[in-house]
Every structure is written in structure tokens, then in C-alpha cells.
Amino acid sequence: AVALSAPRTGEQAMLLALSSLQLAGGGSRADPDAAAALLTELGVFRRHEPLALLRRGVELQLPQERTAEAEALLASPPPDPDAATRADLTHLPVFTIDDASTTEVDDGLSIEPLPGGSGSGGGFRIWIHVADPTRWISPGSGLDLFGRQRIRTLYLPWGSARMFPPELAEGPFSLRAGE
């Protein structure tokens, strides 16, 4: 009951649970796994809570500032300095190793037959398609620094801890059919 007395971060709840277990006879050094099990049973933690991340202070939710920055980018997209040299490959079918429910598609492959066909020495060209978030993000911006810290989207049993706001990750940062 002490651990549930006020809203707390995962780490604060863990420390409170540990001290509560010590007071209840858990000895001078209570077991963190027992505290986590207790907090899960009480509904404070979700099953499969990423405690190692919480102990290190990793925020699982995107800061509001990053979402606001994403909305500003979408409202006023930056110019594309590489627009003149980008090849339009939307006519090619692209294959990915993502499942059907994936919303952040960041890479794929396509095969283009070359003139002359494969039987007459024409061969094929393999294209590697890679999303280009750096076209949207300025070095040193809040999104840039947060992305460097997070490194990737973390997929967890109950959801994900995103590297970038979904407005960007599932939009212009993602390879989408016909775009």
C-alpha cells in the first residue's frame, strides 16, 4: 500500500517497494526482483516492464517538445537539398522483411531488369531503398539529439518506446508505397 500512495516514476516506485520490503522483514538488502514482482502483482508495473531501462532513467514516452517539433516540421517541411539528384523509383515493387502490421518501414530492396533481358546479357540492377530522416532533421536539433540518445525504436510486448514521433516515423521517415 505504501508503494501505491502517490504517483511515482518506475524507479521511484521500485525504490519505495524495496524499502517497504526491507521494513516488512526482507532483511537489510531486499531482492529487486521480489519488489518488481510485488509491484506487478499490485498493478503498478505492467507485465514485462522494462525495469533495466527505467532504472537507468530512460523515458519510455516521447517528450512533448519532440512531438511539437515534429508537428512544426510537418507544417513547414524543410527544403530538400538533394531533390535534383534523387531518382524516382516509385514504379518499382519494393520488398521488405517487415510484417504486415509494421508502420515504420525504413528499408527495402527491389530488382530492376536491365535492357536486353537476363537471357541476353542484360542482367538486373538491385536497388536498396533507405528512408532518409536526415533530410528532415537539422544537426543539433532536439529531434537529432533525442534520436542519437534513443538510437532506435524499442519494441516491447505492450507497445514501443519510439525514436521519433509517429507523425514523422510513420510518415515522411518511412518508405510508403507510391511515394
Side-chain angles (χ1 to χ4, degrees), residues 104-131:
E104 296 178 26
V105 180
D106 55 6
D107 54 15
L109 298 171
S110 61
I111 299 173
E112 178 183 33
L114 296 175
S118 61
S120 45
F124 296 92
R125 176 178 290 138
I126 298 175
W127 290 95
I128 300 171
H129 305 263
V130 180

Side-chain angles (χ1 to χ4, degrees), residues 47-101:
R47 189 167 180 247
H48 304 297
E49 192 76 43
L51 297 177
L53 297 175
L54 294 174
R55 287 181 190 125
R56 287 171 180 78
V58 174
E59 290 293 327
L60 300 181
Q61 300 300 318
L62 282 168
Q64 179 57 36
E65 299 84 15
R66 300 300 71 84
T67 301
E69 194 175 349
E71 291 168 357
L73 278 174
L74 289 169
S76 181
D80 182 358
D82 300 314
T85 59
R86 289 191 193 273
D88 180 359
L89 302 175
T90 55
H91 64 284
L92 296 173
V94 177
F95 301 91
T96 69
I97 58 168
D98 301 300
D99 63 38
S101 66

